[in-house]
Amino acid sequence: MKICKLLGVLLLMQQLAAAQVKDTIPLQHGAHRIGNRTDADMQRWRALRFGQFIHWGVYAIPGGMWNGKVYNGAAEWIRSWKEMPHEAYDQLYKQFNPTKYNPVEWAQQARDMGAKYMIITTKHHDGFCLWPSKYSKYTIASTPYKKDIIGPMVEAYNKAGIDAYLYFSIIDWNHPDWRTSLKTAADSAAMGRFKIFVKNQLRELLERYPTVKGFWFDGTWDESWKNDGAFTDELEQYLQKLHPGLIIGSRLRADEKGARHFDSNNRLMGDYEQGWERKLPNTIADVHGNDWEGVMTVPENQWGYHQQWNGHVKSANEIIEMLVKSASLNGNFVLNFGPKPDGTFRTEEQELMRGIGRWMKVNGEAVYGTGYAGLDKQDWGYYTRKTGTDTVYMVVCNVPVNGNLRVKLPAGRSIGKAWMMEQPGVAVQPEVIGRDEYFIPVPSRVYTSPLVIGLKLEQRERGQGGFEKAKT
Ligand code: JFZ
């Protein structure tokens, strides 16, 4: 009997070892870390939770329209539309003159909305640089405006207490050496030169704007990029050595087998998962324990300024729900804005910022520095938990008609205190309705934005009597 057991254990161990060997492909340029970064810079990023994305460039001038026709794709992609000649697009910079650009005002609006970080497009796929790069002529310096956009923006946002991140596209439609795939030796030589150019521009950005906290890379899906995993690895290490603590999402990297975001062993590369674009995870299982960030447009799929927003435009309440959902699943949420060519924001965006800001002013505590609460999700909305504490927030997006919000706690926990965020002094009286189960009554009225209830959880002292399981 004993020998049987021993043999069984040995067999199991052997199977486990075999499975491990089979699952692990030796990689030189895969993930270099298992699990999330734990340093202070990453902890800071993780607590910010809410960011502002800005897509701005010469594409704001046509604003999704050319010769009276509407481009139905994303406005910042208009150069790739057959109706618009490349030559016409490539002359637009001669008209770029955002005389009303006021970065101090931008930063103020972002702060009032509640954003704790911003991401600005230093260079999108068209190759136009919003900073006067010494490695390109196609920059803000060649426009009638002439002045750097990025520096004053980073400074103004930092002064408003907002961290700055730089978006940078690897795709560069303006650069003669950029390639999507490498078919000839000449292509390889060109792409080799292009990679040096990219490295130079990135170093230049870090040298010019030393307070930036990270890069947000894009356009890394082409073969020419993803088939050189070694270069993406070296580049990431180079940048992080130049600028210790720098945060880089998973969109920069590929491994030597061309796997992107996750290496061939399914381990996350980069500092957080950067694939949540205009969609969010639904459960905590979907994020696999990784840090992540979701980026969202206000209309369906417009990043740059488009004169005609077609289709559904998201409301402040929808955005707030997405933001809270992200925090409840350990992620950051970034909302995009596309300023007009004169440097101002469209009215819809300004109103949206104010709407979100009004709510954040009262309820921001339920977002910043919070994460997954570890409680069973309920139909009324989302729980967040102030990281490392017993304070939980209920963000109620759907108030039930019976006026009671169900809360189910893990065994042995109880609600010590409950309060409404809009009136923190007024206690809410939870009703015990079962073992570890409560109803939180809410006032019957019309709710025009998500209601937030704070809970202080405690260790339960005695068992809650009188609740028996039904015998079936
Ligand atoms: C890219 C850009 O092409 C677009 O213009 C914008 O800048 C956006 C933020 O990024 O578009 C993408 C990139 C990745 C996905 C979808 C659109 N994705 O992973 O689903």
Side-chain angles (χ1 to χ4, degrees):
M1 202 56 198
K2 254 189 190 163
I3 287 184
C4 269
K5 238 186 198 167
L6 191 70
L7 277 177
V9 169
L10 278 175
L11 198 69
L12 192 74
M13 278 168 64
Q14 205 178 27
Q15 280 168 350
L16 279 175
Q20 208 133 44
V21 169
K22 221 171 72 200
D23 285 349
T24 311
I25 303 164
L27 290 174
Q28 248 189 304
H29 302 291
H32 297 301
R33 186 192 64 244
I34 295 177
N36 293 323
R37 262 173 64 174
T38 54
D39 56 282
D41 290 290
M42 202 65 202
Q43 279 179 36
R44 180 181 172 101
W45 178 90
R46 201 173 286 132
L48 304 176
R49 288 296 180 235
F50 188 26
Q52 179 192 49
F53 212 147
I54 290 189
H55 275 70
W56 204 30
V58 297
Y59 41 78
I61 297 171
M65 290 183 73
W66 191 247
N67 279 340
K69 285 193 195 146
V70 179
Y71 174 54
N72 286 318
E76 71 283 3
W77 276 81
I78 197 167
R79 190 184 184 276
S80 64
W81 186 29
K82 62 175 184 342
E83 301 277 341
M84 179 155 196
H86 288 174
E87 305 74 55
Y89 187 93
D90 295 341
Q91 298 299 313
L92 287 173
Y93 73 95
K94 293 182 180 161
Q95 295 171 50
F96 193 69
N97 193 15
T99 49
K100 292 189 184 155
Y101 169 55
N102 182 343
V104 175
E105 214 169 78
W106 282 24
Q108 193 62 50
Q109 282 176 317
R111 187 174 64 183
D112 290 348
M113 172 173 77
K116 298 286 185 194
Y117 67 111
M118 68 86 165
I119 308 167
I120 174 69
T121 48
T122 57
K123 178 174 93 162
H124 205 264
H125 308 336
D126 61 5
F128 178 75
C129 304
L130 282 181
W131 82 102
S133 175
K134 66 178 175 204
Y135 300 102
S136 168
K137 286 204 165 59
Y138 192 43
T139 79
I140 192 73
S142 310
T143 68
Y145 186 74
K146 290 198 178 73
K147 291 167 280 181
D148 182 19
I149 298 284
I150 304 298
M153 190 173 171
V154 170
E155 194 191 329
Y157 275 70
N158 284 170
K159 271 198 185 136
I162 300 173
D163 287 351
Y165 285 76
L166 305 180
Y167 168 106
F168 185 95
S169 167
I170 297 305
I171 292 175
D172 190 329
W173 296 329
N174 188 261
H175 200 288
D177 288 333
W178 172 73
R179 297 284 184 282
T180 53
S181 62
L182 310 178
K183 296 195 180 73
T184 64
D187 284 344
S188 300
M191 194 63 190
R193 290 191 298 271
F194 181 74
K195 283 174 190 158
I196 295 168
F197 163 69
V198 163
K199 200 169 163 180
N200 281 336
Q201 284 207 317
L202 293 171
R203 188 189 55 248
E204 182 184 39
L205 285 168
L206 288 179
E207 281 168 358
R208 289 182 62 102
Y209 315 114
T211 65
V212 301
K213 301 288 186 185
F215 278 117
W216 204 97
F217 286 106
D218 197 12
T220 50
W221 44 78
D222 290 312
E223 266 172 49
S224 59
W225 189 264
K226 72 175 188 194
N227 288 348
D228 194 354
F231 178 73
T232 67
D233 192 9
E234 282 155 26
L235 182 62
E236 185 182 57
Q237 294 191 34
Y238 170 76
L239 296 172
Q240 290 183 323
K241 206 176 239 156
L242 269 182
H243 198 98
L246 194 72
I247 292 172
I248 298 175
S250 61
R251 207 179 276 195
L252 174 67
R253 290 274 277 106
D255 72 8
E256 58 262 54
K257 293 177 185 298
R260 298 179 57 235
H261 294 278
F262 291 87
D263 71 14
S264 300
N265 293 316
N266 212 19
R267 289 181 182 143
L268 182 71
M269 294 180 283
D271 298 323
Y272 63 88
E273 191 186 349
Q274 200 189 345
W276 296 99
E277 178 149 329
R278 293 185 297 117
K279 61 175 190 245
L280 295 177
N282 274 317
T283 67
I284 194 71
D286 295 339
V287 305
H288 307 287
N290 292 316
D291 282 320
W292 64 274
E293 175 197 74
V295 291
M296 191 58 66
T297 51
V298 178
E300 180 48 30
N301 181 28
Q302 296 294 342
W303 299 89
Y305 173 66
H306 197 298
Q307 297 184 56
Q308 288 190 15
W309 271 359
N310 292 318
H312 180 68
V313 175
K314 295 172 193 77
S315 67
N317 282 340
E318 282 175 84
I319 297 295
I320 291 164
E321 180 162 356
M322 291 175 180
L323 167 61
V324 169
K325 182 180 185 179
S326 301
S328 81
L329 299 173
N330 287 332
N332 284 1
F333 181 83
V334 178
L335 185 62
N336 180 73
F337 296 83
K340 295 194 274 189
D342 67 358
T344 62
F345 288 83
R346 66 200 303 148
T347 321
E348 300 97 313
E349 288 184 346
Q350 292 187 40
E351 274 167 15
L352 185 64
M353 282 193 258
R354 282 194 290 269
I356 297 167
R358 271 193 292 276
W359 188 88
M360 288 297 280
K361 210 169 170 187
V362 178
N363 302 295
E365 242 183 83
V367 174
Y368 307 126
T370 69
Y372 178 60
L375 303 179
D376 290 352
K377 169 138 173 43
Q378 302 291 334
D379 292 336
W380 44 254
Y382 308 89
Y383 290 109
T384 61
R385 181 192 292 261
K386 189 78 41 188
T387 306
T389 75
D390 276 331
T391 303
V392 166
Y393 298 96
M394 301 165 61
V395 183
V396 185
C397 297
N398 310 294
V399 178
V401 286
N402 65 26
N404 290 314
L405 308 174
R406 187 180 295 273
V407 171
K408 174 113 181 59
L409 298 180
R413 307 289 286 161
S414 69
I415 298 177
K417 205 176 88 184
W419 66 95
M420 286 228 206
M421 205 72 127
E422 49 187 35
Q423 291 169 292
V426 182
V428 173
Q429 206 44 59
E431 182 193 355
V432 180
I433 58 163
R435 200 182 292 276
D436 312 307
E437 214 159 338
Y438 300 80
F439 269 163
I440 310 279
V442 293
S444 101
R445 59 171 162 92
V446 174
Y447 291 90
T448 54
S449 63
L451 171 77
V452 181
I453 290 162
L455 301 177
K456 185 102 194 119
L457 302 189
E458 287 179 346
Q459 212 51 43
R460 196 172 67 213
E461 296 199 340
R462 287 166 272 106
Q464 287 161 350
F467 299 107
E468 267 183 50
K469 273 197 185 138
K471 292 179 181 72
T472 57

